[in-house]
Amino acid sequence: MSEPIGFVLYDDSCGFCRRWIPFWETTLRKRGFAIAPLQSDWVVEQLDVSEEGLLFALRLLLANGDQVRGADVYRYVMRRIWWAYPLYILSSLPLLRNVFDWGYRTFANNRYRFSRSCQLPPAIESRCGSPDNKAMHSDARGDIASRR
């Protein structure tokens, strides 16, 4: 692949994210995107945000330096995949946009719980382990109230 048009950046300390994003790597690569963990040294340096801010949301770092975050990353990518384009349209409609954004944020805020429930292990030890991830390992119930 030539220079990517952007990098889809995901939380490598999230078991679900570690499985989900690489699963779609071939599809993303065909559209000009590469993937990388948010915890990669070059990403941390390039984004220049706090650890908490770094892991708050999925990110797309475009070649020109612009960033797309959260649910908008899905929309940006779906718009470029012919079979996902109808989902892009639906997720962009006013009422459904709010539902899509809410669904993304709800999942993102609870991704370590989902990972544990699905028995998807996190990275051994993440450089930028999030408060959620630390809470997940220390609290048997996986309550993540410390982040709110």
Side-chain angles (χ1 to χ4, degrees), residues 9 56-60 68-79 87-88 91-92 96-108:
L9 306 172
F56 183 71
L58 179 69
R59 292 175 184 254
L60 175 62
V68 180
R69 294 180 190 94
D72 287 332
V73 173
Y74 283 98
R75 282 189 201 90
Y76 192 97
V77 172
M78 288 188 302
R79 193 171 80 201
L87 295 174
Y88 160 72
S91 73
S92 297
L96 294 178
R97 181 181 188 86
N98 292 338
V99 171
F100 189 83
D101 290 353
W102 173 85
Y104 168 81
R105 180 53 30 216
T106 300
F107 183 86

PDB file of all heavy atoms in Angstrom, residues 9 56-60 68-79 87-88 91-92 96-108:
ATOM      1  N   LEU A   9      -6.943   4.703  14.728  1.00  0.00           N
ATOM      2  CA  LEU A   9      -6.214   4.519  15.976  1.00  0.00           C
ATOM      3  C   LEU A   9      -7.155   3.982  17.047  1.00  0.00           C
ATOM      4  O   LEU A   9      -8.185   4.589  17.324  1.00  0.00           O
ATOM      5  CB  LEU A   9      -5.604   5.851  16.418  1.00  0.00           C
ATOM      6  CG  LEU A   9      -4.734   6.552  15.370  1.00  0.00           C
ATOM      7  CD1 LEU A   9      -4.339   7.944  15.840  1.00  0.00           C
ATOM      8  CD2 LEU A   9      -3.512   5.714  15.040  1.00  0.00           C
ATOM      9  N   PHE A  56      -9.846   8.184  25.251  1.00  0.00           N
ATOM     10  CA  PHE A  56     -11.267   8.477  25.393  1.00  0.00           C
ATOM     11  C   PHE A  56     -12.089   7.973  24.217  1.00  0.00           C
ATOM     12  O   PHE A  56     -13.218   7.540  24.390  1.00  0.00           O
ATOM     13  CB  PHE A  56     -11.483   9.979  25.589  1.00  0.00           C
ATOM     14  CG  PHE A  56     -12.907  10.348  25.822  1.00  0.00           C
ATOM     15  CD1 PHE A  56     -13.541  10.026  27.012  1.00  0.00           C
ATOM     16  CD2 PHE A  56     -13.630  11.015  24.850  1.00  0.00           C
ATOM     17  CE1 PHE A  56     -14.866  10.348  27.231  1.00  0.00           C
ATOM     18  CE2 PHE A  56     -14.952  11.348  25.050  1.00  0.00           C
ATOM     19  CZ  PHE A  56     -15.575  11.023  26.248  1.00  0.00           C
ATOM     20  N   ALA A  57     -11.523   8.016  22.999  1.00  0.00           N
ATOM     21  CA  ALA A  57     -12.303   7.649  21.827  1.00  0.00           C
ATOM     22  C   ALA A  57     -11.419   7.100  20.717  1.00  0.00           C
ATOM     23  O   ALA A  57     -10.228   7.401  20.642  1.00  0.00           O
ATOM     24  CB  ALA A  57     -13.058   8.881  21.297  1.00  0.00           C
ATOM     25  N   LEU A  58     -12.033   6.306  19.871  1.00  0.00           N
ATOM     26  CA  LEU A  58     -11.423   5.870  18.626  1.00  0.00           C
ATOM     27  C   LEU A  58     -11.062   7.123  17.839  1.00  0.00           C
ATOM     28  O   LEU A  58     -11.775   8.120  17.893  1.00  0.00           O
ATOM     29  CB  LEU A  58     -12.459   5.044  17.851  1.00  0.00           C
ATOM     30  CG  LEU A  58     -12.104   4.473  16.503  1.00  0.00           C
ATOM     31  CD1 LEU A  58     -11.070   3.358  16.672  1.00  0.00           C
ATOM     32  CD2 LEU A  58     -13.355   3.923  15.837  1.00  0.00           C
ATOM     33  N   ARG A  59      -9.946   7.086  17.129  1.00  0.00           N
ATOM     34  CA  ARG A  59      -9.517   8.260  16.372  1.00  0.00           C
ATOM     35  C   ARG A  59      -9.108   7.863  14.972  1.00  0.00           C
ATOM     36  O   ARG A  59      -8.667   6.744  14.730  1.00  0.00           O
ATOM     37  CB  ARG A  59      -8.320   8.941  17.036  1.00  0.00           C
ATOM     38  CG  ARG A  59      -8.635   9.595  18.354  1.00  0.00           C
ATOM     39  CD  ARG A  59      -7.354  10.133  18.987  1.00  0.00           C
ATOM     40  NE  ARG A  59      -7.613  10.677  20.286  1.00  0.00           N
ATOM     41  CZ  ARG A  59      -7.631  11.978  20.569  1.00  0.00           C
ATOM     42  NH1 ARG A  59      -7.404  12.855  19.623  1.00  0.00           N
ATOM     43  NH2 ARG A  59      -7.876  12.396  21.784  1.00  0.00           N
ATOM     44  N   LEU A  60      -9.237   8.821  14.088  1.00  0.00           N
ATOM     45  CA  LEU A  60      -8.721   8.691  12.734  1.00  0.00           C
ATOM     46  C   LEU A  60      -7.794   9.875  12.530  1.00  0.00           C
ATOM     47  O   LEU A  60      -8.212  11.029  12.621  1.00  0.00           O
ATOM     48  CB  LEU A  60      -9.868   8.725  11.715  1.00  0.00           C
ATOM     49  CG  LEU A  60      -9.466   8.726  10.250  1.00  0.00           C
ATOM     50  CD1 LEU A  60      -8.696   7.455   9.881  1.00  0.00           C
ATOM     51  CD2 LEU A  60     -10.703   8.855   9.372  1.00  0.00           C
ATOM     52  N   VAL A  68     -10.330  12.856  13.303  1.00  0.00           N
ATOM     53  CA  VAL A  68     -11.755  12.560  13.436  1.00  0.00           C
ATOM     54  C   VAL A  68     -11.840  11.676  14.673  1.00  0.00           C
ATOM     55  O   VAL A  68     -10.986  10.812  14.881  1.00  0.00           O
ATOM     56  CB  VAL A  68     -12.286  11.832  12.178  1.00  0.00           C
ATOM     57  CG1 VAL A  68     -13.766  11.523  12.318  1.00  0.00           C
ATOM     58  CG2 VAL A  68     -12.006  12.644  10.925  1.00  0.00           C
ATOM     59  N   ARG A  69     -12.860  11.874  15.507  1.00  0.00           N
ATOM     60  CA  ARG A  69     -12.950  11.120  16.765  1.00  0.00           C
ATOM     61  C   ARG A  69     -14.309  10.449  16.938  1.00  0.00           C
ATOM     62  O   ARG A  69     -15.310  10.922  16.430  1.00  0.00           O
ATOM     63  CB  ARG A  69     -12.720  12.058  17.951  1.00  0.00           C
ATOM     64  CG  ARG A  69     -11.344  12.628  18.027  1.00  0.00           C
ATOM     65  CD  ARG A  69     -11.200  13.558  19.243  1.00  0.00           C
ATOM     66  NE  ARG A  69      -9.956  14.283  19.199  1.00  0.00           N
ATOM     67  CZ  ARG A  69      -9.802  15.491  18.683  1.00  0.00           C
ATOM     68  NH1 ARG A  69     -10.829  16.125  18.177  1.00  0.00           N
ATOM     69  NH2 ARG A  69      -8.632  16.080  18.681  1.00  0.00           N
ATOM     70  N   GLY A  70     -14.291   9.372  17.714  1.00  0.00           N
ATOM     71  CA  GLY A  70     -15.515   8.721  18.143  1.00  0.00           C
ATOM     72  C   GLY A  70     -16.350   8.156  17.013  1.00  0.00           C
ATOM     73  O   GLY A  70     -15.847   7.573  16.060  1.00  0.00           O
ATOM     74  N   ALA A  71     -17.656   8.341  17.112  1.00  0.00           N
ATOM     75  CA  ALA A  71     -18.601   7.795  16.136  1.00  0.00           C
ATOM     76  C   ALA A  71     -18.349   8.352  14.738  1.00  0.00           C
ATOM     77  O   ALA A  71     -18.630   7.687  13.743  1.00  0.00           O
ATOM     78  CB  ALA A  71     -20.038   8.098  16.576  1.00  0.00           C
ATOM     79  N   ASP A  72     -17.784   9.540  14.668  1.00  0.00           N
ATOM     80  CA  ASP A  72     -17.499  10.138  13.356  1.00  0.00           C
ATOM     81  C   ASP A  72     -16.444   9.347  12.589  1.00  0.00           C
ATOM     82  O   ASP A  72     -16.410   9.413  11.359  1.00  0.00           O
ATOM     83  CB  ASP A  72     -17.068  11.596  13.508  1.00  0.00           C
ATOM     84  CG  ASP A  72     -18.229  12.500  13.882  1.00  0.00           C
ATOM     85  OD1 ASP A  72     -19.390  12.164  13.523  1.00  0.00           O
ATOM     86  OD2 ASP A  72     -17.988  13.531  14.534  1.00  0.00           O
ATOM     87  N   VAL A  73     -15.595   8.600  13.276  1.00  0.00           N
ATOM     88  CA  VAL A  73     -14.626   7.734  12.590  1.00  0.00           C
ATOM     89  C   VAL A  73     -15.386   6.673  11.800  1.00  0.00           C
ATOM     90  O   VAL A  73     -15.079   6.409  10.630  1.00  0.00           O
ATOM     91  CB  VAL A  73     -13.639   7.073  13.581  1.00  0.00           C
ATOM     92  CG1 VAL A  73     -12.757   6.051  12.876  1.00  0.00           C
ATOM     93  CG2 VAL A  73     -12.801   8.125  14.290  1.00  0.00           C
ATOM     94  N   TYR A  74     -16.377   6.053  12.433  1.00  0.00           N
ATOM     95  CA  TYR A  74     -17.181   5.048  11.736  1.00  0.00           C
ATOM     96  C   TYR A  74     -17.861   5.663  10.516  1.00  0.00           C
ATOM     97  O   TYR A  74     -17.874   5.073   9.438  1.00  0.00           O
ATOM     98  CB  TYR A  74     -18.214   4.427  12.674  1.00  0.00           C
ATOM     99  CG  TYR A  74     -17.615   3.425  13.616  1.00  0.00           C
ATOM    100  CD1 TYR A  74     -17.274   3.776  14.912  1.00  0.00           C
ATOM    101  CD2 TYR A  74     -17.377   2.116  13.204  1.00  0.00           C
ATOM    102  CE1 TYR A  74     -16.713   2.851  15.775  1.00  0.00           C
ATOM    103  CE2 TYR A  74     -16.818   1.186  14.055  1.00  0.00           C
ATOM    104  CZ  TYR A  74     -16.492   1.560  15.344  1.00  0.00           C
ATOM    105  OH  TYR A  74     -15.923   0.639  16.190  1.00  0.00           O
ATOM    106  N   ARG A  75     -18.444   6.853  10.682  1.00  0.00           N
ATOM    107  CA  ARG A  75     -19.110   7.505   9.554  1.00  0.00           C
ATOM    108  C   ARG A  75     -18.110   7.799   8.429  1.00  0.00           C
ATOM    109  O   ARG A  75     -18.409   7.576   7.262  1.00  0.00           O
ATOM    110  CB  ARG A  75     -19.775   8.805  10.002  1.00  0.00           C
ATOM    111  CG  ARG A  75     -21.056   8.598  10.725  1.00  0.00           C
ATOM    112  CD  ARG A  75     -21.779   9.932  10.946  1.00  0.00           C
ATOM    113  NE  ARG A  75     -22.701   9.762  12.023  1.00  0.00           N
ATOM    114  CZ  ARG A  75     -22.417   9.968  13.310  1.00  0.00           C
ATOM    115  NH1 ARG A  75     -21.247  10.416  13.683  1.00  0.00           N
ATOM    116  NH2 ARG A  75     -23.329   9.751  14.233  1.00  0.00           N
ATOM    117  N   TYR A  76     -16.953   8.303   8.780  1.00  0.00           N
ATOM    118  CA  TYR A  76     -15.937   8.648   7.786  1.00  0.00           C
ATOM    119  C   TYR A  76     -15.546   7.421   6.973  1.00  0.00           C
ATOM    120  O   TYR A  76     -15.437   7.486   5.752  1.00  0.00           O
ATOM    121  CB  TYR A  76     -14.708   9.227   8.495  1.00  0.00           C
ATOM    122  CG  TYR A  76     -13.717   9.888   7.576  1.00  0.00           C
ATOM    123  CD1 TYR A  76     -13.742  11.268   7.392  1.00  0.00           C
ATOM    124  CD2 TYR A  76     -12.749   9.150   6.903  1.00  0.00           C
ATOM    125  CE1 TYR A  76     -12.831  11.893   6.548  1.00  0.00           C
ATOM    126  CE2 TYR A  76     -11.837   9.764   6.059  1.00  0.00           C
ATOM    127  CZ  TYR A  76     -11.874  11.128   5.892  1.00  0.00           C
ATOM    128  OH  TYR A  76     -10.968  11.728   5.052  1.00  0.00           O
ATOM    129  N   VAL A  77     -15.364   6.300   7.651  1.00  0.00           N
ATOM    130  CA  VAL A  77     -14.957   5.070   6.974  1.00  0.00           C
ATOM    131  C   VAL A  77     -16.140   4.452   6.216  1.00  0.00           C
ATOM    132  O   VAL A  77     -15.985   4.038   5.063  1.00  0.00           O
ATOM    133  CB  VAL A  77     -14.340   4.073   7.974  1.00  0.00           C
ATOM    134  CG1 VAL A  77     -14.090   2.723   7.335  1.00  0.00           C
ATOM    135  CG2 VAL A  77     -13.036   4.638   8.553  1.00  0.00           C
ATOM    136  N   MET A  78     -17.316   4.396   6.831  1.00  0.00           N
ATOM    137  CA  MET A  78     -18.481   3.789   6.165  1.00  0.00           C
ATOM    138  C   MET A  78     -18.828   4.515   4.868  1.00  0.00           C
ATOM    139  O   MET A  78     -19.284   3.897   3.915  1.00  0.00           O
ATOM    140  CB  MET A  78     -19.709   3.786   7.091  1.00  0.00           C
ATOM    141  CG  MET A  78     -19.622   2.796   8.218  1.00  0.00           C
ATOM    142  SD  MET A  78     -21.152   2.624   9.192  1.00  0.00           S
ATOM    143  CE  MET A  78     -21.456   4.277   9.771  1.00  0.00           C
ATOM    144  N   ARG A  79     -18.572   5.813   4.836  1.00  0.00           N
ATOM    145  CA  ARG A  79     -18.862   6.597   3.641  1.00  0.00           C
ATOM    146  C   ARG A  79     -18.010   6.160   2.450  1.00  0.00           C
ATOM    147  O   ARG A  79     -18.364   6.393   1.303  1.00  0.00           O
ATOM    148  CB  ARG A  79     -18.612   8.074   3.952  1.00  0.00           C
ATOM    149  CG  ARG A  79     -19.153   9.014   2.916  1.00  0.00           C
ATOM    150  CD  ARG A  79     -19.063  10.439   3.375  1.00  0.00           C
ATOM    151  NE  ARG A  79     -17.700  10.917   3.181  1.00  0.00           N
ATOM    152  CZ  ARG A  79     -17.172  11.940   3.818  1.00  0.00           C
ATOM    153  NH1 ARG A  79     -17.861  12.577   4.739  1.00  0.00           N
ATOM    154  NH2 ARG A  79     -15.954  12.329   3.570  1.00  0.00           N
ATOM    155  N   LEU A  87     -25.440   2.388   5.776  1.00  0.00           N
ATOM    156  CA  LEU A  87     -25.315   2.616   7.226  1.00  0.00           C
ATOM    157  C   LEU A  87     -24.813   4.027   7.502  1.00  0.00           C
ATOM    158  O   LEU A  87     -25.231   4.667   8.467  1.00  0.00           O
ATOM    159  CB  LEU A  87     -24.380   1.582   7.851  1.00  0.00           C
ATOM    160  CG  LEU A  87     -24.858   0.146   7.811  1.00  0.00           C
ATOM    161  CD1 LEU A  87     -23.773  -0.795   8.320  1.00  0.00           C
ATOM    162  CD2 LEU A  87     -26.136  -0.013   8.609  1.00  0.00           C
ATOM    163  N   TYR A  88     -23.906   4.495   6.656  1.00  0.00           N
ATOM    164  CA  TYR A  88     -23.429   5.875   6.790  1.00  0.00           C
ATOM    165  C   TYR A  88     -24.598   6.853   6.662  1.00  0.00           C
ATOM    166  O   TYR A  88     -24.748   7.770   7.474  1.00  0.00           O
ATOM    167  CB  TYR A  88     -22.363   6.180   5.729  1.00  0.00           C
ATOM    168  CG  TYR A  88     -22.184   7.652   5.500  1.00  0.00           C
ATOM    169  CD1 TYR A  88     -21.568   8.449   6.458  1.00  0.00           C
ATOM    170  CD2 TYR A  88     -22.680   8.256   4.347  1.00  0.00           C
ATOM    171  CE1 TYR A  88     -21.431   9.815   6.265  1.00  0.00           C
ATOM    172  CE2 TYR A  88     -22.542   9.614   4.151  1.00  0.00           C
ATOM    173  CZ  TYR A  88     -21.925  10.391   5.109  1.00  0.00           C
ATOM    174  OH  TYR A  88     -21.796  11.738   4.931  1.00  0.00           O
ATOM    175  N   SER A  91     -26.806   6.660   9.725  1.00  0.00           N
ATOM    176  CA  SER A  91     -26.148   7.210  10.917  1.00  0.00           C
ATOM    177  C   SER A  91     -25.967   8.720  10.829  1.00  0.00           C
ATOM    178  O   SER A  91     -25.570   9.348  11.808  1.00  0.00           O
ATOM    179  CB  SER A  91     -24.795   6.539  11.144  1.00  0.00           C
ATOM    180  OG  SER A  91     -23.846   6.978  10.192  1.00  0.00           O
ATOM    181  N   SER A  92     -26.243   9.286   9.661  1.00  0.00           N
ATOM    182  CA  SER A  92     -26.099  10.728   9.472  1.00  0.00           C
ATOM    183  C   SER A  92     -27.428  11.484   9.574  1.00  0.00           C
ATOM    184  O   SER A  92     -27.423  12.710   9.680  1.00  0.00           O
ATOM    185  CB  SER A  92     -25.470  11.014   8.101  1.00  0.00           C
ATOM    186  OG  SER A  92     -24.180  10.457   8.053  1.00  0.00           O
ATOM    187  N   LEU A  96     -31.350   9.552  13.941  1.00  0.00           N
ATOM    188  CA  LEU A  96     -30.497   8.361  13.998  1.00  0.00           C
ATOM    189  C   LEU A  96     -29.050   8.711  14.310  1.00  0.00           C
ATOM    190  O   LEU A  96     -28.326   7.906  14.896  1.00  0.00           O
ATOM    191  CB  LEU A  96     -30.604   7.561  12.706  1.00  0.00           C
ATOM    192  CG  LEU A  96     -31.970   6.932  12.454  1.00  0.00           C
ATOM    193  CD1 LEU A  96     -31.982   6.194  11.125  1.00  0.00           C
ATOM    194  CD2 LEU A  96     -32.358   6.001  13.593  1.00  0.00           C
ATOM    195  N   ARG A  97     -28.625   9.916  13.942  1.00  0.00           N
ATOM    196  CA  ARG A  97     -27.270  10.365  14.297  1.00  0.00           C
ATOM    197  C   ARG A  97     -27.112  10.391  15.814  1.00  0.00           C
ATOM    198  O   ARG A  97     -26.106   9.927  16.356  1.00  0.00           O
ATOM    199  CB  ARG A  97     -26.989  11.748  13.705  1.00  0.00           C
ATOM    200  CG  ARG A  97     -25.599  12.252  14.026  1.00  0.00           C
ATOM    201  CD  ARG A  97     -25.355  13.642  13.434  1.00  0.00           C
ATOM    202  NE  ARG A  97     -23.981  14.024  13.589  1.00  0.00           N
ATOM    203  CZ  ARG A  97     -23.004  13.716  12.751  1.00  0.00           C
ATOM    204  NH1 ARG A  97     -23.263  13.036  11.663  1.00  0.00           N
ATOM    205  NH2 ARG A  97     -21.774  14.103  12.982  1.00  0.00           N
ATOM    206  N   ASN A  98     -28.111  10.915  16.498  1.00  0.00           N
ATOM    207  CA  ASN A  98     -28.061  10.957  17.967  1.00  0.00           C
ATOM    208  C   ASN A  98     -28.037   9.552  18.562  1.00  0.00           C
ATOM    209  O   ASN A  98     -27.313   9.291  19.522  1.00  0.00           O
ATOM    210  CB  ASN A  98     -29.252  11.745  18.521  1.00  0.00           C
ATOM    211  CG  ASN A  98     -29.169  13.208  18.173  1.00  0.00           C
ATOM    212  OD1 ASN A  98     -28.102  13.736  17.883  1.00  0.00           O
ATOM    213  ND2 ASN A  98     -30.305  13.880  18.185  1.00  0.00           N
ATOM    214  N   VAL A  99     -28.825   8.660  17.997  1.00  0.00           N
ATOM    215  CA  VAL A  99     -28.861   7.268  18.482  1.00  0.00           C
ATOM    216  C   VAL A  99     -27.516   6.596  18.231  1.00  0.00           C
ATOM    217  O   VAL A  99     -26.972   5.916  19.111  1.00  0.00           O
ATOM    218  CB  VAL A  99     -30.014   6.474  17.807  1.00  0.00           C
ATOM    219  CG1 VAL A  99     -29.929   4.993  18.131  1.00  0.00           C
ATOM    220  CG2 VAL A  99     -31.358   7.052  18.218  1.00  0.00           C
ATOM    221  N   PHE A 100     -26.961   6.778  17.040  1.00  0.00           N
ATOM    222  CA  PHE A 100     -25.668   6.191  16.694  1.00  0.00           C
ATOM    223  C   PHE A 100     -24.570   6.723  17.620  1.00  0.00           C
ATOM    224  O   PHE A 100     -23.768   5.956  18.148  1.00  0.00           O
ATOM    225  CB  PHE A 100     -25.334   6.504  15.231  1.00  0.00           C
ATOM    226  CG  PHE A 100     -24.130   5.775  14.703  1.00  0.00           C
ATOM    227  CD1 PHE A 100     -24.244   4.473  14.230  1.00  0.00           C
ATOM    228  CD2 PHE A 100     -22.886   6.391  14.652  1.00  0.00           C
ATOM    229  CE1 PHE A 100     -23.138   3.793  13.729  1.00  0.00           C
ATOM    230  CE2 PHE A 100     -21.782   5.734  14.155  1.00  0.00           C
ATOM    231  CZ  PHE A 100     -21.901   4.428  13.698  1.00  0.00           C
ATOM    232  N   ASP A 101     -24.545   8.036  17.834  1.00  0.00           N
ATOM    233  CA  ASP A 101     -23.551   8.644  18.727  1.00  0.00           C
ATOM    234  C   ASP A 101     -23.704   8.123  20.152  1.00  0.00           C
ATOM    235  O   ASP A 101     -22.711   7.822  20.822  1.00  0.00           O
ATOM    236  CB  ASP A 101     -23.668  10.164  18.720  1.00  0.00           C
ATOM    237  CG  ASP A 101     -23.223  10.788  17.411  1.00  0.00           C
ATOM    238  OD1 ASP A 101     -22.689  10.065  16.535  1.00  0.00           O
ATOM    239  OD2 ASP A 101     -23.415  12.012  17.253  1.00  0.00           O
ATOM    240  N   TRP A 102     -24.942   8.026  20.624  1.00  0.00           N
ATOM    241  CA  TRP A 102     -25.195   7.506  21.968  1.00  0.00           C
ATOM    242  C   TRP A 102     -24.715   6.052  22.073  1.00  0.00           C
ATOM    243  O   TRP A 102     -24.081   5.671  23.053  1.00  0.00           O
ATOM    244  CB  TRP A 102     -26.685   7.594  22.304  1.00  0.00           C
ATOM    245  CG  TRP A 102     -27.017   6.936  23.599  1.00  0.00           C
ATOM    246  CD1 TRP A 102     -26.930   7.485  24.849  1.00  0.00           C
ATOM    247  CD2 TRP A 102     -27.464   5.583  23.772  1.00  0.00           C
ATOM    248  NE1 TRP A 102     -27.297   6.544  25.791  1.00  0.00           N
ATOM    249  CE2 TRP A 102     -27.626   5.367  25.158  1.00  0.00           C
ATOM    250  CE3 TRP A 102     -27.739   4.537  22.890  1.00  0.00           C
ATOM    251  CZ2 TRP A 102     -28.052   4.158  25.679  1.00  0.00           C
ATOM    252  CZ3 TRP A 102     -28.158   3.333  23.415  1.00  0.00           C
ATOM    253  CH2 TRP A 102     -28.312   3.148  24.785  1.00  0.00           C
ATOM    254  N   GLY A 103     -25.028   5.239  21.068  1.00  0.00           N
ATOM    255  CA  GLY A 103     -24.592   3.845  21.075  1.00  0.00           C
ATOM    256  C   GLY A 103     -23.082   3.722  21.098  1.00  0.00           C
ATOM    257  O   GLY A 103     -22.518   2.918  21.842  1.00  0.00           O
ATOM    258  N   TYR A 104     -22.409   4.531  20.287  1.00  0.00           N
ATOM    259  CA  TYR A 104     -20.939   4.511  20.284  1.00  0.00           C
ATOM    260  C   TYR A 104     -20.404   4.885  21.654  1.00  0.00           C
ATOM    261  O   TYR A 104     -19.550   4.197  22.213  1.00  0.00           O
ATOM    262  CB  TYR A 104     -20.363   5.467  19.220  1.00  0.00           C
ATOM    263  CG  TYR A 104     -18.881   5.632  19.442  1.00  0.00           C
ATOM    264  CD1 TYR A 104     -17.985   4.671  18.987  1.00  0.00           C
ATOM    265  CD2 TYR A 104     -18.381   6.687  20.199  1.00  0.00           C
ATOM    266  CE1 TYR A 104     -16.633   4.766  19.260  1.00  0.00           C
ATOM    267  CE2 TYR A 104     -17.037   6.796  20.476  1.00  0.00           C
ATOM    268  CZ  TYR A 104     -16.163   5.829  20.010  1.00  0.00           C
ATOM    269  OH  TYR A 104     -14.827   5.924  20.314  1.00  0.00           O
ATOM    270  N   ARG A 105     -20.876   6.005  22.212  1.00  0.00           N
ATOM    271  CA  ARG A 105     -20.345   6.498  23.488  1.00  0.00           C
ATOM    272  C   ARG A 105     -20.632   5.503  24.611  1.00  0.00           C
ATOM    273  O   ARG A 105     -19.787   5.256  25.461  1.00  0.00           O
ATOM    274  CB  ARG A 105     -20.935   7.880  23.791  1.00  0.00           C
ATOM    275  CG  ARG A 105     -20.496   8.530  25.073  1.00  0.00           C
ATOM    276  CD  ARG A 105     -19.002   8.668  25.365  1.00  0.00           C
ATOM    277  NE  ARG A 105     -18.095   8.804  24.282  1.00  0.00           N
ATOM    278  CZ  ARG A 105     -16.854   8.265  24.257  1.00  0.00           C
ATOM    279  NH1 ARG A 105     -16.401   7.570  25.266  1.00  0.00           N
ATOM    280  NH2 ARG A 105     -16.076   8.427  23.223  1.00  0.00           N
ATOM    281  N   THR A 106     -21.829   4.913  24.615  1.00  0.00           N
ATOM    282  CA  THR A 106     -22.168   3.923  25.641  1.00  0.00           C
ATOM    283  C   THR A 106     -21.238   2.725  25.558  1.00  0.00           C
ATOM    284  O   THR A 106     -20.708   2.263  26.565  1.00  0.00           O
ATOM    285  CB  THR A 106     -23.643   3.480  25.503  1.00  0.00           C
ATOM    286  OG1 THR A 106     -24.476   4.633  25.667  1.00  0.00           O
ATOM    287  CG2 THR A 106     -24.012   2.443  26.541  1.00  0.00           C
ATOM    288  N   PHE A 107     -21.016   2.236  24.345  1.00  0.00           N
ATOM    289  CA  PHE A 107     -20.104   1.103  24.180  1.00  0.00           C
ATOM    290  C   PHE A 107     -18.686   1.502  24.572  1.00  0.00           C
ATOM    291  O   PHE A 107     -18.010   0.774  25.301  1.00  0.00           O
ATOM    292  CB  PHE A 107     -20.117   0.573  22.748  1.00  0.00           C
ATOM    293  CG  PHE A 107     -19.239  -0.628  22.590  1.00  0.00           C
ATOM    294  CD1 PHE A 107     -19.730  -1.889  22.877  1.00  0.00           C
ATOM    295  CD2 PHE A 107     -17.905  -0.504  22.218  1.00  0.00           C
ATOM    296  CE1 PHE A 107     -18.913  -3.010  22.781  1.00  0.00           C
ATOM    297  CE2 PHE A 107     -17.090  -1.605  22.117  1.00  0.00           C
ATOM    298  CZ  PHE A 107     -17.587  -2.868  22.400  1.00  0.00           C
ATOM    299  N   ALA A 108     -18.229   2.650  24.097  1.00  0.00           N
ATOM    300  CA  ALA A 108     -16.860   3.089  24.398  1.00  0.00           C
ATOM    301  C   ALA A 108     -16.634   3.234  25.894  1.00  0.00           C
ATOM    302  O   ALA A 108     -15.581   2.849  26.411  1.00  0.00           O
ATOM    303  CB  ALA A 108     -16.558   4.403  23.676  1.00  0.00           C
TER     304      ALA A 108
END
